[in-house]
Amino acid sequence: MKTTFLISSVLLATLSVLSSTSAHIAISNPPAQAGPWSKNPSNAVHAWIGYRGKKFPCGGYKKGPVTTYHAGQIIPVRFWNFEIKDYKKFPPPGGLTQSRHGGGACEFSLSYDGGKSWKVIGQYTKTCPDIYYEWPVLIPHNVPSCTNSDKCLFAMSWTAYATDQYYHHCANIVINGAKNGHLPVLDMTVVDVSQRHQKVNVHANGDARSGKSSGPNHQEKTLSTNGFYAFGGKAGHKGINLGLVRA
């Protein structure tokens, strides 16, 4: 009886955690670390950095599936949560719950050194993220090759609108790049990470919608796919205004 009670209590606690966070968001394309498609899935893959000790960068997860890209290729980024039963089908069925927290600011970045440094290749504001849309980003045509999939990473970072939470989810990749290429110069924004001794007091302007958004902004979509973020591009060290607000 004691064993049965203990197992039931643990199961109840686990289900409680899952139900409270199941609609939070991670990335499924490219297939990222700790998702249900990986060898080391995590029930907290879609939670924010700091949730129950979740670490920056990438959540501290083990290596996931490896996707190969080439310089100049567009990645149609897709978001995912546990409400989606078949992650291979897109778009997902209508009416699913998603904890978008009123949107916010998303950045998509590359790391060639295992997450020590990150360079931005795409930015979307207000309506991002949303599981019902693809968020295209261009791997700049002039990035160098990165063939060590242990160190070559693609990441989604999201600063939420309705709560001071920062999400960071990564995929292991390989890039066939340009000879004598260069990474972009825009550094990824990192906020609300107490592990880095930051105050948790930053949110981003959003669309304030709890459900489905209007999708990627047309101008931001253009900038994220036309080389704006490439080395030598107009994004430079500034990029676009993410609409961050410090309390």
Side-chain angles (χ1 to χ4, degrees), residues 6 17 30 52 67 72-73 85 96-97 105 111 115 122 125 136 146 155 165-166 181 190 199 204 208 218 234 241:
L6 178 60
V17 170
R52 298 199 168 188
T67 306
Q73 185 172 352
K85 304 307 178 184
L96 298 182
T97 300
S111 176
T125 65
C146 187
Q165 292 177 350
Y166 179 83
V190 183
K199 291 185 177 180
H218 177 73
K234 293 183 179 180
N241 183 0

Side-chain angles (χ1 to χ4, degrees), residues 152-218:
C152 193
L153 301 167
F154 172 86
M156 171 279 293
S157 53
W158 164 38
T159 305
Y161 161 71
T163 182
D164 298 341
Q165 292 177 350
Y166 179 83
Y167 296 73
H168 195 247
H169 193 203
C170 306
N172 295 85
I173 61 172
V174 165
I175 295 177
N176 296 316
K179 186 177 181 180
N180 300 320
H182 298 277
L183 284 170
V185 297
L186 178 60
D187 291 324
M188 183 183 73
T189 301
V190 183
V191 296
D192 295 334
V193 178
S194 57
Q195 173 192 336
R196 291 166 61 101
H197 307 292
Q198 295 178 332
K199 291 185 177 180
V200 182
N201 64 350
V202 178
H203 67 274
N205 291 326
D207 60 9
R209 295 184 181 182
S210 59
K212 188 177 179 180
S213 74
S214 58
N217 173 275
H218 177 73

Side-chain angles (χ1 to χ4, degrees), residues 36 39 67 91 106 118-119 132 135-136 143 158 165 182 191 199 205 217 228 240 243:
K39 294 181 180 179
T67 306
C106 294
W118 297 91
K119 298 300 180 181
Y132 286 104
W135 305 81
V143 298
W158 164 38
Q165 292 177 350
H182 298 277
V191 296
K199 291 185 177 180
N205 291 326
N217 173 275
F228 177 75
I240 64 175

Side-chain angles (χ1 to χ4, degrees), residues 4-5 18 22 44 50 66 68 88 94 103 127 134 142 157 159 162 167 189 197 231 236 241 244:
T4 302
F5 177 77
L18 288 177
S22 64
V66 178
T68 299
K88 295 181 180 179
T127 59
E134 290 183 331
N142 56 356
S157 53
T159 305
Y167 296 73
T189 301
H197 307 292
F231 180 85
N241 183 0
L244 300 184

Side-chain angles (χ1 to χ4, degrees), residues 73-79 108 121-124 133-139 154 216-218 220-226 229:
Q73 185 172 352
I74 291 177
I75 303 176
V77 179
R78 295 175 184 174
F79 292 102
F108 301 98
I121 60 172
Q123 295 174 307
Y124 289 94
Y133 298 92
E134 290 183 331
W135 305 81
V137 292
L138 173 74
I139 299 176
F154 172 86
N217 173 275
H218 177 73
E220 293 175 353
K221 186 175 181 179
T222 297
L223 294 178
S224 291
T225 55
N226 70 355
Y229 295 94

Side-chain angles (χ1 to χ4, degrees), residues 35-169:
W37 44 79
S38 73
K39 294 181 180 179
N40 300 285
S42 169
N43 289 335
V45 63
H46 54 328
W48 61 96
I49 297 297
Y51 173 79
R52 298 199 168 188
K54 187 173 180 178
K55 298 178 181 179
F56 178 87
C58 305
Y61 296 123
K62 293 182 179 180
K63 184 177 181 179
V66 178
T67 306
T68 299
Y69 295 105
H70 58 79
Q73 185 172 352
I74 291 177
I75 303 176
V77 179
R78 295 175 184 174
F79 292 102
W80 165 91
N81 64 28
F82 281 107
E83 298 287 304
I84 299 174
K85 304 307 178 184
D86 186 351
Y87 60 84
K88 295 181 180 179
K89 290 185 177 181
F90 185 84
L96 298 182
T97 300
Q98 51 175 334
S99 295
R100 295 182 55 250
H101 296 313
C106 294
E107 289 189 316
F108 301 98
S109 308
L110 297 176
S111 176
Y112 278 33
D113 56 13
K116 295 178 182 178
S117 62
W118 297 91
K119 298 300 180 181
V120 175
I121 60 172
Q123 295 174 307
Y124 289 94
T125 65
K126 295 185 178 180
T127 59
C128 187
D130 193 315
I131 61 175
Y132 286 104
Y133 298 92
E134 290 183 331
W135 305 81
V137 292
L138 173 74
I139 299 176
H141 67 281
N142 56 356
V143 298
S145 292
C146 187
T147 58
N148 185 345
S149 59
D150 291 326
K151 294 185 176 181
C152 193
L153 301 167
F154 172 86
M156 171 279 293
S157 53
W158 164 38
T159 305
Y161 161 71
T163 182
D164 298 341
Q165 292 177 350
Y166 179 83
Y167 296 73
H168 195 247
H169 193 203

